[in-house]
mmCIF file of all heavy atoms in Angstrom:
data_model
loop_
_atom_site.group_PDB
_atom_site.id
_atom_site.type_symbol
_atom_site.label_atom_id
_atom_site.label_comp_id
_atom_site.label_asym_id
_atom_site.label_seq_id
_atom_site.Cartn_x
_atom_site.Cartn_y
_atom_site.Cartn_z
ATOM 1 N N ILE A 40 173.387 62.141 89.964
ATOM 2 C CA ILE A 40 173.649 62.538 88.576
ATOM 3 C C ILE A 40 173.085 63.928 88.265
ATOM 4 O O ILE A 40 172.950 64.308 87.109
ATOM 5 C CB ILE A 40 173.084 61.504 87.580
ATOM 6 C CG1 ILE A 40 171.555 61.408 87.693
ATOM 7 C CG2 ILE A 40 173.718 60.137 87.807
ATOM 8 C CD1 ILE A 40 170.921 60.547 86.603
ATOM 9 N N CYS A 41 172.793 64.692 89.308
ATOM 10 C CA CYS A 41 172.217 66.022 89.125
ATOM 11 C C CYS A 41 173.075 66.943 88.242
ATOM 12 O O CYS A 41 172.536 67.647 87.388
ATOM 13 C CB CYS A 41 171.964 66.678 90.479
ATOM 14 S SG CYS A 41 171.075 68.250 90.403
ATOM 15 N N PRO A 42 174.416 66.968 88.387
ATOM 16 C CA PRO A 42 175.221 67.852 87.529
ATOM 17 C C PRO A 42 175.088 67.541 86.036
ATOM 18 O O PRO A 42 175.242 68.433 85.206
ATOM 19 C CB PRO A 42 176.657 67.593 88.012
ATOM 20 C CG PRO A 42 176.519 67.083 89.396
ATOM 21 C CD PRO A 42 175.257 66.269 89.390
ATOM 22 N N ILE A 43 174.788 66.292 85.710
ATOM 23 C CA ILE A 43 174.628 65.894 84.307
ATOM 24 C C ILE A 43 173.229 66.224 83.809
ATOM 25 O O ILE A 43 173.050 66.772 82.724
ATOM 26 C CB ILE A 43 174.892 64.382 84.135
ATOM 27 C CG1 ILE A 43 176.291 64.015 84.606
ATOM 28 C CG2 ILE A 43 174.695 63.972 82.669
ATOM 29 C CD1 ILE A 43 176.575 62.519 84.613
ATOM 30 N N VAL A 44 172.240 65.908 84.621
ATOM 31 C CA VAL A 44 170.840 66.016 84.183
ATOM 32 C C VAL A 44 170.300 67.436 84.353
ATOM 33 O O VAL A 44 169.700 67.994 83.423
ATOM 34 C CB VAL A 44 169.964 65.021 84.970
ATOM 35 C CG1 VAL A 44 168.506 65.120 84.506
ATOM 36 C CG2 VAL A 44 170.476 63.602 84.793
ATOM 37 N N TYR A 45 170.502 68.020 85.525
ATOM 38 C CA TYR A 45 169.978 69.357 85.819
ATOM 39 C C TYR A 45 171.089 70.235 86.398
ATOM 40 O O TYR A 45 171.120 70.511 87.608
ATOM 41 C CB TYR A 45 168.808 69.279 86.803
ATOM 42 C CG TYR A 45 167.686 68.374 86.374
ATOM 43 C CD1 TYR A 45 167.230 67.337 87.197
ATOM 44 C CD2 TYR A 45 167.065 68.539 85.128
ATOM 45 C CE1 TYR A 45 166.194 66.503 86.801
ATOM 46 C CE2 TYR A 45 166.038 67.706 84.720
ATOM 47 C CZ TYR A 45 165.607 66.683 85.566
ATOM 48 O OH TYR A 45 164.594 65.864 85.160
ATOM 49 N N PRO A 46 172.024 70.671 85.586
ATOM 50 C CA PRO A 46 173.180 71.426 86.094
ATOM 51 C C PRO A 46 172.811 72.708 86.835
ATOM 52 O O PRO A 46 173.439 73.047 87.834
ATOM 53 C CB PRO A 46 174.005 71.712 84.837
ATOM 54 C CG PRO A 46 173.083 71.477 83.676
ATOM 55 C CD PRO A 46 172.113 70.449 84.135
ATOM 56 N N ARG A 47 171.797 73.435 86.369
ATOM 57 C CA ARG A 47 171.405 74.668 87.077
ATOM 58 C C ARG A 47 170.922 74.352 88.485
ATOM 59 O O ARG A 47 171.245 75.065 89.440
ATOM 60 C CB ARG A 47 170.290 75.391 86.317
ATOM 61 C CG ARG A 47 170.743 76.241 85.142
ATOM 62 C CD ARG A 47 169.656 77.235 84.761
ATOM 63 N NE ARG A 47 169.418 78.213 85.817
ATOM 64 C CZ ARG A 47 168.271 78.864 85.982
ATOM 65 N NH1 ARG A 47 167.240 78.624 85.178
ATOM 66 N NH2 ARG A 47 168.146 79.758 86.946
ATOM 67 N N LEU A 48 170.162 73.293 88.626
ATOM 68 C CA LEU A 48 169.667 72.891 89.937
ATOM 69 C C LEU A 48 170.832 72.540 90.853
ATOM 70 O O LEU A 48 170.855 72.918 92.030
ATOM 71 C CB LEU A 48 168.725 71.691 89.806
ATOM 72 C CG LEU A 48 168.162 71.112 91.101
ATOM 73 C CD1 LEU A 48 167.297 72.136 91.810
ATOM 74 C CD2 LEU A 48 167.365 69.843 90.820
ATOM 75 N N PHE A 49 171.822 71.861 90.320
ATOM 76 C CA PHE A 49 172.970 71.445 91.130
ATOM 77 C C PHE A 49 173.799 72.640 91.584
ATOM 78 O O PHE A 49 174.185 72.734 92.752
ATOM 79 C CB PHE A 49 173.849 70.478 90.337
ATOM 80 C CG PHE A 49 175.059 70.002 91.089
ATOM 81 C CD1 PHE A 49 174.940 69.028 92.074
ATOM 82 C CD2 PHE A 49 176.313 70.548 90.847
ATOM 83 C CE1 PHE A 49 176.054 68.595 92.783
ATOM 84 C CE2 PHE A 49 177.427 70.125 91.544
ATOM 85 C CZ PHE A 49 177.301 69.146 92.522
ATOM 86 N N TYR A 50 174.076 73.566 90.676
ATOM 87 C CA TYR A 50 174.995 74.664 90.988
ATOM 88 C C TYR A 50 174.322 75.855 91.674
ATOM 89 O O TYR A 50 174.966 76.592 92.425
ATOM 90 C CB TYR A 50 175.698 75.139 89.718
ATOM 91 C CG TYR A 50 176.698 74.137 89.177
ATOM 92 C CD1 TYR A 50 176.426 73.416 88.022
ATOM 93 C CD2 TYR A 50 177.899 73.896 89.838
ATOM 94 C CE1 TYR A 50 177.333 72.477 87.530
ATOM 95 C CE2 TYR A 50 178.816 72.969 89.357
ATOM 96 C CZ TYR A 50 178.525 72.259 88.200
ATOM 97 O OH TYR A 50 179.419 71.332 87.721
ATOM 98 N N GLU A 51 173.023 76.067 91.444
ATOM 99 C CA GLU A 51 172.375 77.283 91.930
ATOM 100 C C GLU A 51 171.424 77.066 93.100
ATOM 101 O O GLU A 51 170.944 78.033 93.684
ATOM 102 C CB GLU A 51 171.619 77.964 90.781
ATOM 103 C CG GLU A 51 172.511 78.405 89.627
ATOM 104 C CD GLU A 51 171.720 79.057 88.505
ATOM 105 O OE1 GLU A 51 170.674 79.679 88.804
ATOM 106 O OE2 GLU A 51 172.133 78.930 87.332
ATOM 107 N N SER A 52 171.133 75.823 93.452
ATOM 108 C CA SER A 52 170.186 75.568 94.539
ATOM 109 C C SER A 52 170.827 75.836 95.902
ATOM 110 O O SER A 52 172.048 75.989 96.023
ATOM 111 C CB SER A 52 169.676 74.128 94.480
ATOM 112 O OG SER A 52 170.756 73.226 94.630
ATOM 113 N N ASN A 53 169.974 75.876 96.920
ATOM 114 C CA ASN A 53 170.423 76.135 98.284
ATOM 115 C C ASN A 53 171.415 75.064 98.739
ATOM 116 O O ASN A 53 171.153 73.872 98.642
ATOM 117 C CB ASN A 53 169.197 76.140 99.217
ATOM 118 C CG ASN A 53 169.520 76.673 100.588
ATOM 119 O OD1 ASN A 53 170.619 76.522 101.084
ATOM 120 N ND2 ASN A 53 168.533 77.308 101.220
ATOM 121 N N LYS A 54 172.572 75.501 99.238
ATOM 122 C CA LYS A 54 173.613 74.563 99.656
ATOM 123 C C LYS A 54 173.568 74.244 101.148
ATOM 124 O O LYS A 54 174.377 73.465 101.640
ATOM 125 C CB LYS A 54 174.996 75.127 99.293
ATOM 126 C CG LYS A 54 175.217 75.358 97.804
ATOM 127 C CD LYS A 54 175.126 74.053 97.008
ATOM 128 C CE LYS A 54 175.504 74.226 95.554
ATOM 129 N NZ LYS A 54 174.534 75.022 94.794
#
Side-chain angles (χ1 to χ4, degrees):
I40 63 172
C41 187
I43 302 174
V44 181
Y45 305 125
R47 279 198 65 205
L48 178 63
F49 180 77
Y50 290 108
E51 298 179 30
S52 61
N53 192 328
K54 299 298 187 291

